[in-house]
Amino acid sequence: MHDLDSALAVIRARDDTAAKHAHALWHVMRATAAHPTKVTRYDVQQMVWGTLPQAHRSPGGQGAFEDLHQTCESFAELLALLGHAGYAGVCRDPATHAILDAAQDEERYRRLVAAAWRASGVWPPDTPLMTWAEQGGPIETALHAAAGRLLEEAVDAGTLPVDGGEAMRVGLVMRLLTSPENEGEETWFVRLLDERLDEWTLGQGSQTRRELMVRLRPEIRRAPDSDGAQLPALTYLLAQCREAGARLTTSGYLPTSLVGELIDLMPTCAELSGSGRSESQWPPVKLLRELSTDFGLTTRTGGRLRLTDQGTALVDDSDSLLMTVGERLITLDRSALGAVQEVVFAALLLEDRMAPVRVYEKVAYVLAEEGWSGAGGADFGPTHAAEVGSWFLRRLRVLDALDADWTARRVGLTPAGRAIARWSLRARVLFRRHPDDLTLT
């Protein structure tokens, strides 16, 4: 087995360019290695499936390597000479060559890379605490690599199957995230959260948004406390969907008896002058039912509305229900809607009560500063900000998350609403929606 210098000398005797390319790939790989001394499968795969093809097709990178396959083979030769025959096999695998061939085809490339990582058994899964970003910061990148190393060690030890064992994979990653960092008393999860918060508070182009989020940073850093707050109407609806479920009408509406009970529970219904007990006559009740399904808590089965497995788990757990509603009420996309929801929650968390028009003004400022454009390139102006902001406030009101003093035309978050707002903003920091579920770093 050779050391690095003698291995490079062997390659150089055959082809000086090949030796330079192999050395360059080795140097980059070790600079971001998952382990200070060991070579890992994660490192090698990241190099030949990610760094090498992406560098070749990046702006100014065309022709960085005359032939990706030859460069990859030079790297494989170096690994083999260093005693890493198995990792050299990764470089020579047909799946790797297919990825290199697809380097210029973004969609095919992403699909092949995602499949290859899944098949390798060392791709860290998302967890209930957070999902991995496509392009994480230094701490997240290091943690992702460290998680890959832990998975490889478990596979090599025979305690984790290459395919399957998803719960065990998540458990291993969770153990890493919740372990103490090397220096200090914080866990690695908190270190990652701080890195994400820095990006979240200072990122994007809106000064108005940054001022709001910087003020909220300490509050979002702490895990929200519900203080016993509840969502009475949603909880009651879920309770009526236990076991056999609530029987729906032929039109798919809730039964009139249940509609009547929900009307009595929902403050927003008291503001309407409706009559009768048909769900079609009570938009807040209809919206509540739709939200319960959107949140993944209920599902229609035949002529009944039943609890999902998650709905069953949460119906008697008010704290976890608030967390789930908060995480699912807000979009995870980096979109105009996400900006609107962030600003609405931030404004209402920072003031006890506000006139809706003031909330909409803040939304309009942020949309303008962010440069969001609507269909045909039209700006999202004050009218659009008011429409979307009002749409979101109605959902909060239906959930008993918004206390509305309509006489004074001021609104504020209820205790449940404050918990939901914190969970929602925290979700925007910790969770990412990956396009087509293909996650790459």
Side-chain angles (χ1 to χ4, degrees), residues 362-404:
K362 290 182 181 293
V363 169
Y365 289 146
V366 170
L367 291 177
E369 291 169 352
E370 294 285 358
W372 291 106
S373 296
D379 290 337
F380 282 130
T383 300
H384 182 83
E387 289 174 352
V388 180
S390 177
W391 170 87
F392 190 49
L393 289 181
R394 282 197 299 274
R395 277 151 176 73
L396 296 177
R397 182 67 168 143
V398 161
L399 289 168
D400 302 314
L402 192 74
D403 179 26

Coordinates of all heavy atoms in Angstrom, one line a residue, residues 362-404:
K362 N -47.2 46.2 6.1 CA -45.9 45.6 6.3 C -45.7 44.5 5.3 O -44.6 44.3 4.7 CB -45.8 44.9 7.7 CG -45.7 46.0 8.8 CD -45.6 45.3 10.2 CE -45.5 46.4 11.3 NZ -44.3 47.2 11.2
V363 N -46.7 43.7 5.0 CA -46.6 42.7 3.9 C -46.3 43.3 2.6 O -45.4 42.8 1.9 CB -48.0 41.9 3.8 CG1 -48.0 41.0 2.6 CG2 -48.2 41.0 5.1
A364 N -46.9 44.4 2.2 CA -46.7 45.1 1.0 C -45.3 45.6 0.9 O -44.6 45.5 -0.2 CB -47.7 46.2 0.8
Y365 N -44.7 46.2 2.0 CA -43.4 46.6 2.0 C -42.4 45.5 1.7 O -41.5 45.6 0.9 CB -43.0 47.3 3.4 CG -43.7 48.6 3.7 CD1 -44.1 48.9 5.0 CD2 -43.9 49.5 2.7 CE1 -44.7 50.1 5.3 CE2 -44.5 50.7 2.9 CZ -44.9 51.0 4.2 OH -45.5 52.2 4.5
V366 N -42.6 44.4 2.4 CA -41.7 43.2 2.2 C -41.7 42.7 0.8 O -40.7 42.4 0.2 CB -42.0 42.1 3.3 CG1 -41.2 40.9 3.0 CG2 -41.7 42.6 4.7
L367 N -43.0 42.5 0.3 CA -43.1 42.0 -1.1 C -42.4 42.9 -2.1 O -41.7 42.5 -3.0 CB -44.5 41.8 -1.5 CG -45.3 40.7 -0.7 CD1 -46.8 40.7 -1.2 CD2 -44.7 39.4 -1.0
A368 N -42.5 44.2 -1.9 CA -41.9 45.2 -2.8 C -40.4 45.1 -2.7 O -39.6 45.1 -3.6 CB -42.4 46.6 -2.5
E369 N -39.9 45.1 -1.4 CA -38.4 45.0 -1.2 C -37.8 43.7 -1.7 O -36.6 43.7 -2.1 CB -38.2 45.3 0.3 CG -38.5 46.7 0.8 CD -38.5 46.8 2.3 OE1 -38.3 45.8 3.0 OE2 -38.6 47.9 2.8
E370 N -38.6 42.6 -1.6 CA -38.1 41.4 -2.1 C -38.1 41.3 -3.6 O -37.5 40.4 -4.2 CB -38.9 40.2 -1.5 CG -38.7 40.1 0.0 CD -37.4 39.4 0.5 OE1 -36.6 39.1 -0.4 OE2 -37.2 39.3 1.7
G371 N -38.9 42.1 -4.2 CA -39.0 42.1 -5.7 C -39.8 41.0 -6.2 O -39.6 40.6 -7.4
W372 N -40.8 40.5 -5.4 CA -41.7 39.5 -6.0 C -42.5 40.0 -7.1 O -43.0 41.1 -7.0 CB -42.6 38.9 -4.8 CG -41.8 38.1 -3.8 CD1 -41.5 38.5 -2.5 CD2 -41.3 36.8 -4.0 NE1 -40.8 37.6 -1.9 CE2 -40.7 36.5 -2.7 CE3 -41.2 35.9 -5.0 CZ2 -40.0 35.3 -2.5 CZ3 -40.6 34.7 -4.8 CH2 -40.0 34.4 -3.6
S373 N -42.7 39.2 -8.1 CA -43.5 39.6 -9.3 C -44.7 38.6 -9.5 O -44.5 37.4 -9.3 CB -42.7 39.7 -10.5 OG -41.7 40.7 -10.4
G374 N -45.8 39.1 -9.9 CA -46.9 38.3 -10.1 C -47.0 37.9 -11.6 O -46.1 38.0 -12.3
A375 N -48.2 37.4 -12.0 CA -48.3 36.9 -13.4 C -48.1 38.1 -14.3 O -48.5 39.2 -14.1 CB -49.8 36.4 -13.5
G376 N -47.4 37.8 -15.4 CA -47.1 38.8 -16.4 C -46.1 39.9 -15.9 O -46.0 40.9 -16.5
G377 N -45.5 39.6 -14.8 CA -44.4 40.5 -14.3 C -45.0 41.6 -13.4 O -44.3 42.5 -13.0
A378 N -46.3 41.6 -13.1 CA -46.9 42.7 -12.3 C -46.4 42.6 -10.9 O -46.3 41.5 -10.3 CB -48.4 42.6 -12.4
D379 N -46.2 43.7 -10.3 CA -45.7 43.7 -8.9 C -46.8 43.3 -7.9 O -48.0 43.5 -8.2 CB -45.2 45.1 -8.5 CG -43.9 45.4 -9.2 OD1 -43.2 44.5 -9.6 OD2 -43.6 46.6 -9.3
F380 N -46.5 42.6 -6.8 CA -47.4 42.3 -5.8 C -47.6 43.6 -5.0 O -46.8 43.9 -4.1 CB -46.9 41.2 -4.8 CG -47.0 39.9 -5.4 CD1 -45.9 39.0 -5.4 CD2 -48.2 39.4 -5.9 CE1 -46.1 37.7 -5.9 CE2 -48.4 38.2 -6.4 CZ -47.3 37.3 -6.5
G381 N -48.6 44.4 -5.3 CA -48.8 45.7 -4.7 C -49.7 45.6 -3.4 O -50.0 44.5 -2.9
P382 N -50.1 46.7 -2.9 CA -50.9 46.7 -1.6 C -52.2 45.9 -1.8 O -52.6 45.3 -0.8 CB -51.2 48.2 -1.4 CG -50.1 48.9 -2.1 CD -49.7 48.1 -3.3
T383 N -52.9 46.0 -2.9 CA -54.1 45.2 -3.1 C -53.9 43.7 -2.9 O -54.6 43.1 -2.2 CB -54.8 45.5 -4.4 OG1 -55.0 46.9 -4.5 CG2 -56.0 44.7 -4.6
H384 N -52.9 43.2 -3.6 CA -52.6 41.8 -3.5 C -52.1 41.5 -2.1 O -52.5 40.4 -1.5 CB -51.4 41.4 -4.5 CG -51.1 40.0 -4.5 ND1 -51.8 39.1 -5.2 CD2 -50.2 39.3 -3.8 CE1 -51.3 37.9 -5.0 NE2 -50.3 38.0 -4.2
A385 N -51.4 42.3 -1.4 CA -50.9 42.1 -0.1 C -52.1 41.9 0.9 O -52.2 41.1 1.7 CB -50.0 43.2 0.4
A386 N -53.1 42.8 0.7 CA -54.3 42.8 1.5 C -55.1 41.5 1.2 O -55.7 40.9 2.2 CB -55.2 44.0 1.3
E387 N -55.2 41.1 0.0 CA -56.0 39.9 -0.4 C -55.4 38.7 0.3 O -56.1 37.8 0.9 CB -56.0 39.7 -1.9 CG -56.9 40.8 -2.6 CD -56.8 40.7 -4.1 OE1 -56.0 39.9 -4.6 OE2 -57.6 41.3 -4.8
V388 N -54.1 38.5 0.1 CA -53.4 37.3 0.6 C -53.3 37.4 2.2 O -53.6 36.3 2.8 CB -52.0 37.2 0.0 CG1 -51.3 35.9 0.6 CG2 -52.0 37.1 -1.5
G389 N -53.1 38.5 2.7 CA -53.0 38.7 4.2 C -54.4 38.4 4.8 O -54.5 37.7 5.8
S390 N -55.5 38.8 4.2 CA -56.8 38.6 4.7 C -57.1 37.1 4.6 O -57.7 36.5 5.5 CB -57.8 39.4 3.9 OG -59.1 39.1 4.3
W391 N -56.7 36.5 3.5 CA -56.9 35.0 3.3 C -56.3 34.2 4.4 O -56.8 33.3 5.0 CB -56.3 34.6 1.9 CG -56.3 33.2 1.7 CD1 -57.2 32.4 1.1 CD2 -55.1 32.3 1.9 NE1 -56.7 31.1 1.0 CE2 -55.5 31.0 1.5 CE3 -53.8 32.5 2.4 CZ2 -54.6 29.9 1.6 CZ3 -53.0 31.5 2.5 CH2 -53.3 30.2 2.1
F392 N -55.1 34.7 4.8 CA -54.4 34.0 5.9 C -55.0 34.2 7.2 O -55.1 33.3 8.1 CB -52.9 34.4 5.9 CG -52.0 33.5 6.7 CD1 -52.0 32.2 6.7 CD2 -51.1 34.1 7.6 CE1 -51.2 31.4 7.5 CE2 -50.3 33.4 8.4 CZ -50.3 32.0 8.3
L393 N -55.4 35.5 7.5 CA -56.0 35.8 8.8 C -57.3 35.0 9.0 O -57.7 34.6 10.1 CB -56.3 37.3 8.9 CG -55.1 38.2 9.0 CD1 -55.5 39.6 9.1 CD2 -54.3 37.8 10.3
R394 N -58.1 34.8 7.9 CA -59.3 34.0 8.0 C -59.0 32.6 8.5 O -59.8 32.0 9.3 CB -60.0 33.9 6.6 CG -60.8 35.2 6.3 CD -61.8 35.0 5.2 NE -61.2 34.5 4.0 CZ -60.7 35.3 3.0 NH1 -60.8 36.6 3.2 NH2 -60.2 34.9 1.9
R395 N -57.9 32.0 8.0 CA -57.6 30.6 8.4 C -57.2 30.6 9.9 O -57.6 29.7 10.7 CB -56.4 30.1 7.6 CG -56.9 29.5 6.3 CD -56.0 29.6 5.1 NE -56.5 28.9 4.0 CZ -57.6 29.3 3.2 NH1 -58.1 30.5 3.5 NH2 -58.0 28.6 2.2
L396 N -56.5 31.7 10.3 CA -56.1 31.7 11.8 C -57.4 31.9 12.6 O -57.5 31.3 13.7 CB -55.2 32.9 12.0 CG -53.8 32.8 11.3 CD1 -53.0 34.1 11.6 CD2 -53.1 31.6 11.8
R397 N -58.3 32.7 12.1 CA -59.6 32.9 12.9 C -60.4 31.7 13.0 O -60.9 31.4 14.1 CB -60.4 34.0 12.2 CG -61.7 34.4 12.9 CD -61.4 35.1 14.2 NE -62.6 35.8 14.7 CZ -62.9 35.8 16.0 NH1 -62.1 35.3 16.9 NH2 -64.0 36.4 16.4
V398 N -60.5 30.9 11.9 CA -61.2 29.7 12.0 C -60.6 28.7 12.9 O -61.4 27.9 13.6 CB -61.3 29.1 10.5 CG1 -61.7 27.6 10.6 CG2 -62.3 29.8 9.7
L399 N -59.3 28.7 13.1 CA -58.6 27.8 14.0 C -58.6 28.3 15.5 O -58.0 27.6 16.3 CB -57.2 27.6 13.6 CG -57.0 26.8 12.3 CD1 -55.5 27.0 11.8 CD2 -57.3 25.3 12.5
D400 N -59.3 29.4 15.8 CA -59.3 30.0 17.1 C -57.9 30.4 17.5 O -57.5 30.5 18.6 CB -59.8 29.0 18.2 CG -61.2 28.5 17.9 OD1 -62.0 29.3 17.6 OD2 -61.4 27.2 18.0
A401 N -57.1 30.8 16.4 CA -55.7 31.3 16.7 C -55.7 32.8 16.6 O -54.7 33.4 17.0 CB -54.8 30.7 15.6
L402 N -56.8 33.4 16.2 CA -56.8 34.9 16.1 C -58.0 35.4 16.8 O -59.2 35.0 16.6 CB -57.0 35.3 14.6 CG -56.7 36.8 14.2 CD1 -55.3 37.1 14.4 CD2 -57.2 37.1 12.8
D403 N -57.8 36.4 17.7 CA -58.8 37.1 18.4 C -59.1 38.4 17.7 O -58.2 39.3 17.6 CB -58.4 37.4 19.9 CG -59.4 38.1 20.7 OD1 -60.6 38.0 20.3 OD2 -59.1 38.8 21.6
A404 N -60.3 38.5 17.2 CA -60.6 39.7 16.4 C -61.6 40.6 17.1 O -62.7 40.2 17.4 CB -61.2 39.2 15.0

